[in-house]
C-alpha cells in the first residue's frame, strides 16, 4: 500500500488543481487500487474576519496590488491550465474569499465519518466548479446534505468547534514536514512535493515509491542470458 497525503487550503486555486493532478496520475498508475489518498487541512484564510467575504478581485488588489486587468490575466491562466487538464468549469475570479477555519473543521468532521476524499472533492467542486461560498455554517450544511451527513449532528459539531484543534494540528504536521504553503503532498511518507506538480511528475514518484517497497525477487534457477561480454553458449549434451 502506498499512501498519498495532501495538505490544501479550500480556496487555493492551485490546491484544487493539485488535487485533480493527483487523481490524473492515479488514473495512469498501474497499482492505483493499492494507493490510499488522505486529504489534510492547511488553512491560509484564518486572518480574515469571520462572517465577512471579499471578491477575489478585491483580495488580489489589496494583497498584491494587482489591477483588474492583471487579476483577470492571473485567473485566466489558472483556469486555462485546469481546462487543458479536463477540469472544467474551473472558476477562479468569480469567487469570494474569507475565513476558512469552519470549512476545514467541516472537512475534518466529514473525514471522521469516512468521507475524507469525497468531502474534499465536493468542496472543491462547489467552490471552483460552481463558485459557491463555503464559509458560513449554512453553506457547509448544504454540503453536509450532499454528502449524506446528518445535518443536525453536523450543526452541533461545528457550533461547538470540536475539530478546531485537529485542524491546527494538521497544519503543524505539514510545517514539520517542510511545507511552506499549499498544496503540499507527501508520497509514502518519504517524498515531499511542494506545489501543484504536474501529473507526470506525480506518476513518476508513485512508481518510484512502489518500486522502493516492492522489489523484484529473482526466481530460482539459471537460464542462458546475454550480457556485456556476450551471450552464453548452450552446453552440449
Amino acid at each position: 500500500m502506498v499512501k498519498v497525503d495532501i495538505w490544501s487550503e479550500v480556496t487555493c486555486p492551485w490546491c484544487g488543481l493539485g488535487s485533480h493532478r493527483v487523481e490524473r496520475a492515479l488514473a495512469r498508475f498501474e497499482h492505483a487500487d493499492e494507493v490510499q489518498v488522505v486529504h489534510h487541512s492547511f488553512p491560509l484564510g484564518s486572518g480574515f474576519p469571520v462572517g465577512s467575504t471579499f471578491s477575489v478581485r478585491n483580495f488580489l488588489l489589496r494583497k498584491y496590488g494587482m489591477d483588474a486587468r492583471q487579476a483577470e490575466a492571473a485567473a485566466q491562466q489558472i483556469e486555462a491550465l485546469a481546462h487543458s487538464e479536463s477540469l472544467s468549469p474551473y472558476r477562479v475570479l468569480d469567487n469570494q474569499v474569507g475565513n476558512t477555519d469552519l470549512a476545514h473543521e467541516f472537512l475534518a468532521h466529514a473525514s471522521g465519518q469516512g468521507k475524507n476524499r469525497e468531502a474534499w472533492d465536493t468542496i472543491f467542486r462547489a467552490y471552483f466548479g460552481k463558485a459557491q461560498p463555503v464559509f458560513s455554517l449554512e453553506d457547509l450544511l448544504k454540503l453536509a446534505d450532499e454528502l449524506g451527513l446528518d445535518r443536525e449532528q453536523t450543526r452541533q459539531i461545528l457550533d461547538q468547534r470540536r475539530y478546531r484543534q485537529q485542524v491546527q494540528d494538521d497544519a503543524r504536521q505539514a510545517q514539520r514536514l517542510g511545507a511552506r504553503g499549499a498544496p503540499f503532498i507527501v508520497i509514502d511518507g518519504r517524498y515531499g512535493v511542494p506545489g501543484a506538480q504536474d501529473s507526470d511528475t506525480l506518476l513518476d514518484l508513485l512508481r518510484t515509491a512502489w518500486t522502493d517497497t516492492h522489489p523484484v525477487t529473482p526466481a530460482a534457477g539459471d537460464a542462458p542470458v546475454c550480457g556485456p561480454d556476450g551471450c552464453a553458449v548452450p552446453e552440449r549434451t
Side-chain angles (χ1 to χ4, degrees):
M1 178 68 71
V2 172
K3 187 179 180 185
V4 177
D5 293 286
I6 310 174
W7 278 266
S8 302
E9 166 57 279
V10 171
T11 57
C12 160
W14 291 113
C15 293
L17 182 56
S19 177
H20 177 69
R21 287 174 170 176
V22 168
E23 295 297 334
R24 291 190 76 198
L26 285 172
R28 293 188 288 153
F29 183 49
E30 300 82 358
H31 309 285
D33 57 338
E34 295 189 59
V35 175
Q36 179 188 19
V37 176
V38 180
H39 291 266
H40 305 272
S41 291
F42 198 98
L44 299 171
S46 299
F48 287 110
V50 175
S52 298
T53 59
F54 310 87
S55 71
V56 170
R57 285 181 175 87
N58 287 341
F59 171 70
L60 292 174
L61 174 63
R62 292 168 57 178
K63 187 171 180 65
Y64 302 108
M66 289 185 180
D67 59 27
R69 181 180 57 80
Q70 291 171 319
E72 188 86 24
Q76 286 178 349
Q77 181 183 14
I78 300 175
E79 290 172 353
L81 274 174
H83 180 74
S84 71
E85 298 181 31
S86 304
L87 182 59
S88 185
Y90 198 73
R91 302 165 70 179
V92 176
L93 204 58
D94 294 336
N95 279 318
Q96 300 284 309
V97 293
N99 189 298
T100 55
D101 288 351
L102 197 64
H104 285 286
E105 291 170 33
F106 166 76
L107 290 164
H109 164 57
S111 298
Q113 300 297 307
K115 295 180 179 290
N116 174 272
R117 204 164 168 182
E118 185 181 353
W120 278 89
D121 287 346
T122 297
I123 205 166
F124 280 143
R125 186 167 57 249
Y127 185 72
F128 292 111
K130 304 174 185 176
Q132 291 179 356
V134 293
F135 308 101
S136 72
L137 177 59
E138 290 306 315
D139 296 335
L140 299 169
L141 289 177
K142 291 177 184 176
L143 297 182
D145 292 339
E146 188 173 339
L147 289 165
L149 298 173
D150 184 278
R151 173 178 268 255
E152 290 311 309
Q153 181 191 47
T154 302
R155 181 192 299 276
Q156 183 180 18
I157 285 171
L158 295 182
D159 277 339
Q160 295 174 356
R161 308 300 299 268
R162 288 190 203 171
Y163 285 94
R164 178 186 293 179
Q165 188 62 51
Q166 180 175 318
V167 168
Q168 293 172 353
D169 291 344
D170 243 5
R172 291 192 187 99
Q173 182 186 6
Q175 291 168 341
R176 286 194 296 270
L177 292 171
R180 296 295 177 265
F184 183 71
I185 301 169
V186 175
I187 296 177
D188 211 33
R190 290 174 294 154
Y191 301 101
V193 185
Q197 296 286 345
D198 62 86
S199 58
D200 286 342
T201 297
L202 295 169
L203 178 59
D204 286 344
L205 286 171
L206 284 168
R207 286 172 173 163
T208 298
W210 179 268
T211 301
D212 287 348
T213 55
H214 296 78
V216 174
T217 302
D222 295 319
V225 298
C226 291
D229 298 324
C231 297
V233 178
E235 296 181 2
R236 294 183 179 181
T237 58

